[in-house]
């Protein structure tokens, strides 16, 4: 593809695919060898990026970032601009992802990512992904009718927010069927209602007995199943889809420029910047890693986990292991029912209750490339990285974990740190910041529990890298009203606390008609094939 730069061509992290186009990786989602797609090279920033991009609106900044990864031969610039404008025209804030200051003395800032249609950070990526699917399908189906049309069957798993964001991005779109699997009883009532009250015929909600990891395993099994791939063009909306990571990369740049504009004393010449990211599947923080690798001056990315801490344990030990999160601690008393089903502990931050972080595979590839690769042969370095990832992931599947060499762990520490936050600390953090005065003149700032995990981790990071030299930007991943029960639990007894300002869109979910299919545990690939065939067939009736 002579019309594509190396950063506009894609390969699989497991070494089985090279030279794919952006359109191919968006529509495929998962590589045929089970790997994830990444660009063949991460593009360096233009030499004048800081001056040229400094005052751009979010949509124009997104265009500049995405153009480095999408060839104009595939998506002409005018089309890409239109796609971006349409995607973010649905957001309630003109800044799309506004930056607010929580504590001026500590240089602690919050990047609000919940101003999209479903009040969660997933909207930033999934509004765009839905429009990309539609754009590519319209082009492929020009002049085609009936069975000759290219029909995309989207299959995704959600721990809460991905499902509703994907559904809102794809509902009613022609030539697309959407199947979203969620763990029954393990997401918040509002998250469930946002999904199951969407009655468009192309949307299918499936409540699965089990955990998010069980749902994710089903999705991966279907993507690698040859039989279903003969009859359906499967597509992915989970953060395994590269377009999700790319879209999220933009707000790291936007946060940087927002900080520069709002804080005259900040500059990368005399200040350090850390991003703190509440982390489950590793996609959100991975977008920051790409921004850093491109050249955005980030000193550290802090991975903030809850008590399902496979990532935190990796940074402490160099071992990535599906160790069950069994046992009770003081935090358990905060919940009516805390259980470690399938090794996953149910916590107050349910969207992060994940045993295995799928996107971690992408980071492993880059670590292997940097540590084991050679400066003289790029293709050999890519093969070596893919072979190592394949070995590590095979060990994870067969033995439940793997260890990396000290050199790999040292390389991971260059860009990252990690923190583990308990439910007790999550509650304490919600309480602490409710008592603070808001910089916008409101009586307080209410954090959702996932955002509170990030803020708690930020406060620890501040002790290691304090002001005035360092600024911390923590990512706010959801509107607190999406987790009203947990916020009320944390703030019960606080003087004059009333959960106000619940968005009308969330209030209106109550009492709406719902449609959901319940699926028992243990249904194999053949059973899931039958479910997909049946429900796609019913769409036209």
């Amino acid at each position: 593809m002579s019309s594509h730069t190396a950063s506009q061509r894609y390969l699989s992290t497991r070494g089985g695919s090279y030279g794919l186009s952006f359109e191919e990786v968006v529509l495929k989602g998962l590589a045929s060898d089970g790997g994830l797609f990444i660009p063949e090279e991460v593009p360096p920033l233009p030499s004048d990026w800081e001056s040229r991009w400094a005052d751009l609106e979010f949509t124009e900044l997104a265009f500049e970032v995405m153009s480095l990864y999408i060839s104009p031969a595939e998506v002409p610039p005018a089309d890409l601009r239109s796609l971006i404008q349409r995607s973010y025209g649905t957001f309630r804030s003109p800044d799309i992802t506004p930056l607010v200051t929580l504590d001026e003395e500590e240089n602690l800032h919050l990047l609000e990512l919940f101003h999209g249609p479903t009040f969660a950070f997933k909207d930033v990526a999934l509004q765009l992904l839905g429009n990309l699917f539609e754009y590519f399908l319209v082009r492929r189906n020009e002049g085609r009718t009936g069975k000759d049309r290219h029909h995309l069957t989207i299959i995704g798993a959600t721990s809460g927010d991905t499902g509703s964001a994907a559904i809102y991005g794809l509902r009613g779109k022609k030539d697309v069927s959407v199947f979203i699997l969620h763990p029954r009883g393990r997401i918040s009532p509002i998250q469930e209602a946002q999904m199951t009250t969407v009655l468009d015929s192309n949307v299918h909600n499936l409540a699965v007995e089990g955990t998010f990891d069980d749902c994710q395993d089903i999705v991966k099994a279907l993507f690698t199943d040859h039989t279903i791939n003969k009859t359906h063009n499967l597509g992915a909306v989970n953060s395994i889809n590269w377009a999700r990571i790319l879209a999220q990369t933009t707000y790291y740049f936007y946060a940087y420029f927002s900080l520069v504009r709002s804080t005259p004393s900040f500059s990368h010449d005399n200040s350090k910047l850390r991003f703190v990211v509440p982390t489950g599947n590793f996609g959100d923080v991975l977008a920051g890693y790409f921004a850093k690798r491109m050249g955005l001056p980030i000193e550290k990315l802090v991975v903030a986990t809850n008590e399902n801490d496979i990532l935190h344990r990796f940074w402490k030990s160099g071992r990535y292991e599906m160790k069950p999160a069994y046992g009770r601690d003081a935090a358990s008393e905060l919940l009516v029912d805390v259980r470690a089903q399938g090794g996953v502990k149910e916590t107050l931050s349910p969207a992060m209750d994940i045993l295995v972080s799928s996107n971690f595979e992408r980071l492993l590839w880059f670590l292997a490339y940097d540590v084991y690769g050679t400066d003289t042969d790029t293709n050999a370095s890519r093969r070596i990285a893919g072979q190592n990832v394949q070995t590590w992931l095979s060990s994870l599947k067969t033995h439940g974990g793997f260890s990396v060499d000290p050199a790999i762990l040292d390389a991971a520490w260059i860009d990252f740190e990690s923190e583990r936050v308990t439910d007790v600390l999550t509650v304490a953090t919600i309480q602490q910041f409710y008592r603070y005065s808001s910089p916008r003149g409101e009586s307080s700032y209410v954090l959702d529990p996932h955002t509170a995990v990030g803020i708690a981790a930020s406060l620890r990071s501040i002790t290691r890298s304090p002001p005035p030299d360092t600024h911390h930007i923590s990512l706010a991943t959801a509107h607190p009203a999406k987790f009203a029960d947990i916020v009320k639990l944390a703030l019960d007894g606080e003087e004059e606390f009333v959960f106000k300002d619940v968005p009308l869109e969330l209030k209106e979910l109550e009492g709406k008609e719902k449609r959901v299919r319940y699926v028992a545990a243990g249904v194999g690939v053949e059973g899931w094939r039958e479910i997909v065939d049946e429900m796609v067939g019913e769409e036209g009736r």
Side-chain angles (χ1 to χ4, degrees), residues 96-364:
I96 312 300
T97 59
L99 186 73
V100 300
T101 298
L102 283 186
D103 190 327
E104 288 186 11
E105 290 186 2
E106 298 287 4
N107 287 344
L108 176 58
H109 315 276
L110 194 64
L111 186 64
E112 293 183 340
L113 303 177
F114 50 73
H115 293 282
T118 71
F119 300 86
F121 81 96
K122 307 290 179 78
D123 290 320
V124 177
L126 284 163
Q127 284 293 300
L128 176 69
L129 183 56
N131 287 324
L132 284 169
F133 281 145
E134 183 177 53
Y135 177 81
F136 290 135
L137 287 174
V138 166
R139 189 162 67 186
R140 288 190 174 203
N141 286 327
E142 187 176 356
R144 294 185 178 188
T145 59
K147 292 184 178 180
D148 288 336
R149 295 182 68 82
H150 189 97
H151 183 94
L152 194 62
T153 302
I154 300 295
I155 302 180
T158 184
S159 57
D161 287 330
T162 290
S164 57
I167 287 167
Y168 279 57
L170 291 165
R171 62 188 300 180
K173 290 199 183 292
K174 195 173 182 180
D175 297 313
V176 179
S177 300
V178 188
F179 290 81
I180 298 296
L181 287 62
H182 72 265
R184 185 176 182 180
R186 295 175 72 90
I187 62 176
S188 81
I190 285 180
Q191 288 174 317
E192 182 179 11
Q194 281 185 307
M195 293 189 291
T196 58
T197 57
V198 176
L199 304 180
D200 297 67
S201 63
N202 72 322
V203 173
H204 309 285
N205 283 289
L206 301 128
V208 181
E209 291 292 343
T211 68
F212 168 76
D213 291 271
D214 296 324
C215 296
Q216 192 160 245
D217 287 344
I218 292 164
V219 171
K220 290 180 179 177
L222 288 171
F223 269 89
T224 55
D225 177 62
H226 295 298
T227 303
I228 197 169
N229 278 280
K230 289 178 181 176
T231 54
H232 295 272
N233 298 303
L234 299 187
V237 290
N238 284 81
S239 53
I240 59 175
N241 193 306
W242 162 249
R244 290 236 349 228
I245 308 301
L246 176 56
Q248 290 169 206
T249 302
T250 297
Y251 53 66
Y252 286 88
F253 286 93
Y254 193 74
Y256 171 81
F257 287 121
S258 296
L259 184 61
V260 170
R261 287 193 294 267
S262 64
T263 313
S265 62
F266 174 83
S267 77
H268 72 257
D269 293 327
N270 56 25
S271 306
K272 291 183 287 188
L273 176 59
R274 290 182 165 215
F275 280 91
V276 186
V277 188
T279 304
N281 221 15
F282 204 72
D284 205 3
V285 73
L286 184 75
Y289 175 73
F290 275 95
K292 188 177 190 301
R293 202 168 173 102
M294 290 168 72
L296 187 65
I298 302 171
E299 189 227 358
K300 290 286 184 184
L301 295 155
V302 181
V303 175
T305 77
N306 63 16
E307 291 162 80
N308 295 291
D309 59 353
I310 185 172
L311 292 166
H312 178 66
R313 286 184 279 112
F314 172 82
W315 261 276
K316 297 303 179 188
S317 68
R319 179 154 182 81
Y320 190 77
E321 182 180 23
M322 293 189 289
K323 180 181 177 182
Y326 291 115
R328 287 180 174 270
D329 57 25
S332 302
E333 302 308 317
L334 295 166
L335 290 170
V336 176
D337 176 27
V338 178
R339 58 191 186 275
Q341 183 178 357
V344 179
K345 182 174 182 179
E346 192 171 340
T347 74
L348 295 177
S349 45
M352 296 159 61
D353 290 348
I354 293 172
L355 191 63
V356 175
S357 301
S358 292
N359 275 291
F360 190 59
E361 178 172 337
R362 286 181 163 119
L363 175 64
L364 287 171

